[in-house]
Amino acid sequence: MSTEHLLSPLPLGPLALPNRVVMAPLARQRSQQPGNVPYALNATYYAQRASAGLLISEASQVCPEGQGYAWTPGIHSDAQVAGWTQVTEAVHAAGGRIYLQLWHVGRISHPLLQPDGADPVAPSAIQANAECYVQEADGSHHKAPTALPRALELKELPGVVAAYADGTANALRAGFDGVEVHAANGYLLDQFLCSNSNQRTDAYGGSVENRARLVLEVVDAVVARTGDSQRVGIRISPMGTFGDVHDANPLETFSYLVEQLSTRNLAYLHVNRPDWLGGSFEGFDELLRSLRTLYSGTLILAGGQTAASGEQAIADGLADLVAYGRPYIANADLVERFAQNAALNEPNAATFYGGGAEGYTDYPTLG
Ligand SMILES: Cc1cc2nc3c(=O)[nH]c(=O)nc-3n(C[C@H](O)[C@H](O)[C@H](O)COP(=O)(O)O)c2cc1C
């Protein structure tokens, strides 16, 4: 009989995970202003969830240009490092383990979120049919269509790679156990990967090798700065369309990327299912099985998972770890609830983004 179960332990690089339940990265737009700085309330929220095998932080911009929604935390200033240190200390004191997700939104942004009101940057000057979230000078805030971005110049790309490396150094300084490169969900690295958002004619566009170049350079720079590839994970969303990305040949693109990643001995590959917001994506399960065979390391599966489906994915050998997003918003004690087969609280979408403790740290736990 298999000993691999959702609630059985798993080593992850230098970490000993007590279970296979991962808290997926969840943007909650609750950092302190000015400066997008994590604070005590965020520390409480993450520490409440410390029984997860692994926590992955909300996406955190690696540079001011990497921001696409008001009040998301950054990992580029000393104040942010100090704020995140409160978070990692609280999580570790509660017995948990936490990675930081490194983020650059690329074109999913707006001049109101950019330094000096500049246009956001992207692989190509192609506007996404998508929304971001802005705060006006008078303090009012609202959704806004993403702006027309400007194409990054070739000579700017080393600076983008360096921002991820610096974000990594800052995350380690803040006490994180590792970092996850966010290459999913239509943000900058996914914009480079996908054919509809990348129409460059230089070494970073066109062929799959070229479209994957920036992601792999970022991974290599992050690993170099970490000094231990087993403290670096990466998140991808093959076939995903969130953020208005679309790749003409996801099997080819993501097979190449995953083969390349497989040689890098990373802590994990994290795959977000494209159907997490509904819709049907024919061929995704086949693609996932194929990526699984191409990748030799630990795989995290996310998107619409239940205890039963997560257990099944592990039993089928499709995943080693299972990440839960919305269930973790509403159930800090998700591991205990799974262990006891207890009912789950339903998350309230009205309090997902922004605000304070309500809908954040006040969901009831068992007992
Ligand atoms: C409120 C909210 C915020 C999210 N923020 C992030 C994020 O910061 N980074 C990321 O990679 N995915 C993000 N996602 C996607 C989740 O990590 C997850 O993949 C998705 O919710 C599907 O999993 P679920 O069905 O268990 O919720 C977010 C999802 C939600 C609902």
Side-chain angles (χ1 to χ4, degrees):
M1 211 180 91
S2 169
T3 53
E4 315 284 298
H5 288 289
L6 194 55
L7 299 182
S8 66
L10 184 78
L12 187 76
L15 303 177
L17 310 189
N19 59 67
R20 319 291 186 92
V21 177
V22 174
M23 178 181 170
L26 292 162
R28 307 299 307 276
Q29 295 177 250
R30 281 171 167 86
S31 68
Q32 211 163 33
Q33 302 308 315
N36 300 316
V37 177
Y39 71 117
L41 182 67
N42 310 128
T44 300
Y45 163 78
Y46 283 106
Q48 284 175 340
R49 288 155 178 77
S51 61
L54 180 69
L55 305 174
I56 303 171
S57 83
E58 62 208 279
S60 305
Q61 57 268 10
V62 294
C63 53
E65 296 79 8
Q67 184 172 7
Y69 307 86
W71 324 304
T72 58
I75 188 69
H76 53 82
S77 76
D78 287 339
Q80 290 160 353
V81 171
W84 277 121
T85 302
Q86 286 183 55
V87 173
T88 64
E89 284 177 352
V91 167
H92 291 148
R97 295 137 299 274
I98 183 165
Y99 268 45
L100 176 120
Q101 193 184 46
L102 298 165
W103 197 25
H104 191 311
V105 297
R107 66 180 184 167
I108 303 297
S109 189
H110 188 283
L112 279 172
L113 295 157
Q114 293 290 313
D116 303 321
D119 293 329
V121 295
S124 303
I126 301 169
Q127 194 167 8
N129 179 12
E131 285 179 326
C132 55
Y133 200 91
V134 299
Q135 181 166 11
E136 304 278 357
D138 66 4
S140 63
H141 42 87
H142 54 89
K143 284 183 177 175
T146 56
L148 176 66
R150 123 184 127 70
L152 281 159
E153 292 176 34
L154 190 60
K155 65 173 194 287
E156 292 180 285
L157 297 182
V160 171
V161 173
Y164 283 89
D166 292 345
T168 301
N170 285 338
L172 297 177
R173 204 148 58 89
F176 282 94
D177 297 296
V179 291
E180 177 177 283
V181 174
H182 192 349
N185 300 350
Y187 298 111
L188 182 71
L189 297 178
D190 206 15
Q191 291 158 27
F192 270 85
L193 283 171
C194 291
S195 55
N196 79 324
S197 43
N198 181 350
Q199 306 203 341
R200 300 178 73 92
T201 53
D202 59 15
Y204 293 84
S207 67
V208 57
E209 291 82 358
N210 283 358
R211 283 181 282 117
R213 192 177 308 282
L214 188 69
V215 184
L216 293 171
E217 286 181 359
V218 165
V219 168
D220 290 341
V222 164
V223 166
R225 195 65 72 92
T226 313
D228 180 359
S229 62
Q230 287 281 301
R231 287 182 183 272
V232 177
I234 180 166
R235 187 172 224 218
I236 59 173
S237 51
M239 290 176 97
T241 53
F242 185 75
D244 193 25
V245 287
H246 176 81
D247 189 55
N249 191 342
L251 179 62
E252 183 192 43
T253 300
F254 287 92
S255 295
Y256 171 77
L257 177 65
V258 165
E259 274 174 338
Q260 291 296 313
L261 293 171
S262 189
T263 66
R264 284 163 165 84
N265 189 34
L266 301 178
Y268 62 78
L269 172 69
H270 187 176
V271 180
N272 191 27
R273 295 185 63 95
D275 54 4
W276 67 283
L277 286 170
S280 106
F281 294 81
E282 208 181 317
F284 176 76
D285 289 324
E286 220 175 290
L287 172 61
L288 178 63
R289 273 193 292 277
S290 161
L291 297 181
R292 174 64 160 172
T293 58
L294 292 173
Y295 190 73
S296 58
T298 298
L299 192 140
I300 307 180
L301 180 64
Q305 299 300 306
T306 62
S309 70
E311 194 70 76
Q312 193 63 48
I314 291 171
D316 291 346
L318 205 55
D320 305 293
L321 293 155
V322 183
Y324 297 86
R326 288 159 291 187
Y328 250 120
I329 289 178
N331 300 275
D333 55 351
L334 192 63
V335 169
E336 292 73 20
R337 286 176 190 256
F338 283 172
Q340 296 176 35
N341 207 10
L344 303 186
N345 300 318
E346 283 301 318
N348 173 12
T351 51
F352 278 3
Y353 305 110
E358 191 196 348
Y360 190 55
T361 51
D362 65 353
Y363 284 101
T365 51
L366 292 174

